[in-house]
Amino acid sequence: MPINNYKGFLRMTGFCKTKIPEEIMAALEPIKDNEEAVKAYGIHLGTEMCKKILATGIKTLHLYTLNMEKSALAILMNLGLIEESKISRPLPWRRPANVFRVKEDVRPIFWANRPKSYISRTTGWDEYPHGRWSNAQNPSYGALTDYQFMRARSRDKKLQEEWAVALNSVEDIYERFKDYCLGKLRSCPWSELDGLQPETKIINEKLGHVNRKGFLTINSQPAVNAEKSDSPSVGWGGPGGYVYQKAYLEFFCSQEKLNTLVEKCKSFPYLTYMAVNKEGNWISNVNQTDVNAVTWGVFPAKEIIQPTVVDPASFMVWKDEAFEIWSRGWAQLYPETDPSRKLLEQVQNSYFLISLVDNDYINGDLFSIFKDI
């Protein structure tokens, strides 16, 4: 089992009454407070141990992941046993190792970058959506708690370094979002993940452009039309199938920019949008009961799988969390009297959160609506 966390390593070895070689403790001691360095060492150590095992003629390795498979996959790639491009996802999102959720195969897109938060807010459900989101029968989400805003020390440090910069105007806020979309920053208050995801990199230049204009993106996906399911960037479900996606964009913007966007949407019949502010004021061209499948896959001998949806009821739940991140995820990185903190709170209280879908996944161009704005 790869070492992923120093305290967890000590706890596990203590529980198992394992004697730790001195050279391992000597290597870990200087880096014990640096989670990324500990993981990197764990991958290195695991790789070297596996090399020695394989060198003896043993042909089988058994790696425990404890639901943290990245280190194990890195070891296997170091050994040349798998290629990164061949690692497939069973679904577009990672299914948790929970016996009660084994059949879960549909989720709202809004928590795509905050899967731990989604799991925590749905942990009390009696049933998890399977087949179609409508089967969920409007389950209630758990309330927001401190848990949704807890961060690992290394992640908190990275956010502090990259996001706790002086903000003199809203344009400085635009710059943070733009730099993240262009891959210049590894962290984002609205994401639990590390850096941009592979499919985001397909459209990151376009994302950077709209962020410069004040449309502050926190979630997105490109349009996909019959891409092979083993595609390294957008594939899921294993080989032999084809996957599809509607272009999706979720962002914050001012009331003025929203008004312009709503007016322009009248000339784009394939675009559907939902917009809401912190107070819950709703603007949309869809009904609040309309559920829109935005990702689906076709596989041999299976029904069509549609694992990601845009659901208005869930959007209204998500908006509370999304707006709260302005203060608890970003503004709190600054001292209480810092002007940057006050600017972020002003944006939090005045901007709208928008979910925008281009339903023409074949010929559509979601980003064209932002031209001339």
Side-chain angles (χ1 to χ4, degrees):
M1 183 173 68
I3 300 172
N4 282 295
N5 174 279
Y6 181 74
K7 290 182 179 178
F9 172 65
L10 293 184
R11 186 167 55 250
M12 182 65 75
T13 52
F15 177 76
C16 297
K17 296 181 171 56
T18 304
K19 184 179 179 180
I20 306 171
E22 291 182 6
E23 61 269 23
I24 293 179
M25 289 305 299
L28 286 171
E29 183 62 29
I31 60 172
K32 63 182 181 182
D33 294 324
N34 186 330
E35 191 170 321
E36 293 305 313
V38 171
K39 285 183 180 179
Y41 173 73
I43 292 168
H44 167 75
L45 179 63
T47 301
E48 295 306 309
M49 290 174 67
C50 289
K51 284 180 179 178
K52 291 178 181 178
I53 292 171
L54 295 172
T56 66
I58 295 173
K59 297 182 179 180
T60 302
L61 297 170
H62 187 165
L63 277 67
Y64 289 89
T65 66
L66 295 186
N67 208 27
M68 293 184 288
E69 76 282 355
K70 288 185 178 180
S71 292
L73 290 172
I75 290 170
L76 294 175
M77 284 188 281
N78 287 346
L79 296 170
L81 297 178
I82 58 172
E83 297 178 30
E84 186 173 8
S85 62
K86 298 293 177 64
I87 300 172
S88 64
R89 303 176 293 170
L91 292 165
W93 38 267
R94 178 182 169 193
R95 180 182 279 147
N98 182 323
V99 67
F100 298 107
R101 304 184 80 126
V102 291
K103 291 186 177 181
E104 179 186 14
D105 60 7
V106 189
R107 284 185 184 177
I109 196 171
F110 315 118
W111 283 271
N113 296 322
R114 289 176 61 82
K116 292 179 182 177
S117 175
Y118 179 79
I119 290 169
S120 72
R121 299 194 68 181
T122 58
T123 192
W125 289 4
D126 293 328
E127 291 184 60
Y128 293 95
H130 175 62
R132 295 292 181 269
W133 178 254
S134 57
N135 293 344
Q137 297 179 342
N138 299 319
S140 59
Y141 288 85
L144 276 176
T145 66
D146 290 342
Y147 178 83
Q148 281 84 37
F149 302 98
M150 291 173 62
R151 296 188 292 256
R153 184 183 300 177
S154 59
R155 175 169 163 71
D156 201 56
K157 182 180 179 182
K158 181 61 72 174
L159 282 170
Q160 192 77 41
E161 292 172 354
E162 296 184 337
W163 290 78
V165 298
L167 303 171
N168 299 310
S169 66
V170 289
E171 285 74 23
D172 291 334
I173 295 176
Y174 300 174
E175 195 71 14
R176 289 294 90 193
F177 281 89
K178 182 207 74 174
D179 284 352
Y180 176 70
C181 289
L182 295 179
K184 296 179 181 179
L185 306 179
R186 296 289 300 174
S187 64
C188 175
W190 283 267
S191 177
E192 299 168 349
L193 310 177
D194 182 30
L196 298 178
Q197 300 308 293
E199 70 172 5
T200 308
K201 294 177 182 178
I202 298 172
I203 54 173
N204 71 324
E205 291 290 338
K206 293 180 178 180
L207 291 173
H209 183 67
V210 299
N211 277 279
R212 284 191 199 98
K213 294 187 171 190
F215 299 94
L216 309 177
T217 61
I218 60 172
N219 195 357
S220 62
Q221 69 177 31
V224 172
N225 181 27
E227 188 78 26
K228 287 187 176 181
S229 59
D230 56 1
S231 161
S233 55
V234 298
W236 54 272
Y242 291 90
V243 295
Y244 302 78
Q245 290 182 176
K246 296 176 183 178
Y248 177 77
L249 202 57
E250 188 178 324
F251 54 91
F252 294 99
C253 74
S254 66
Q255 171 85 67
E256 180 183 3
K257 292 182 186 298
L258 173 61
N259 292 342
T260 303
L261 200 66
V262 167
E263 190 62 31
K264 289 197 72 174
C265 275
K266 295 176 182 178
S267 302
F268 292 80
Y270 290 104
L271 294 186
T272 51
Y273 64 86
M274 303 181 293
V276 65
N277 65 5
K278 185 182 177 184
E279 302 305 316
N281 297 313
W282 169 271
I283 302 171
S284 180
N285 63 353
V286 299
N287 295 320
Q288 293 201 16
T289 56
D290 292 342
V291 177
N292 189 351
V294 291
T295 308
W296 63 100
V298 180
F299 299 89
K302 289 184 179 180
E303 293 185 356
I304 292 175
I305 303 171
Q306 54 171 56
T308 313
V309 299
V310 167
D311 166 43
S314 297
F315 183 62
M316 291 299 287
V317 174
W318 160 246
K319 70 94 177 170
D320 292 331
E321 186 169 334
F323 277 105
E324 192 70 11
I325 292 170
W326 280 100
S327 53
R328 298 181 70 175
W330 191 358
Q332 282 190 358
L333 298 174
Y334 299 88
E336 280 193 28
T337 57
D338 195 300
S340 298
R341 183 166 180 159
K342 295 186 182 300
L343 178 61
L344 291 172
E345 290 170 351
Q346 289 171 9
V347 170
Q348 177 190 36
N349 292 325
S350 62
Y351 274 37
F352 275 74
L353 175 67
I354 296 90
S355 168
L356 184 64
V357 180
D358 185 351
N359 294 282
D360 184 355
Y361 61 92
I362 299 175
N363 299 311
D365 180 7
L366 179 62
F367 291 94
S368 63
I369 195 171
F370 296 98
K371 293 177 181 177
D372 305 320
I373 294 183

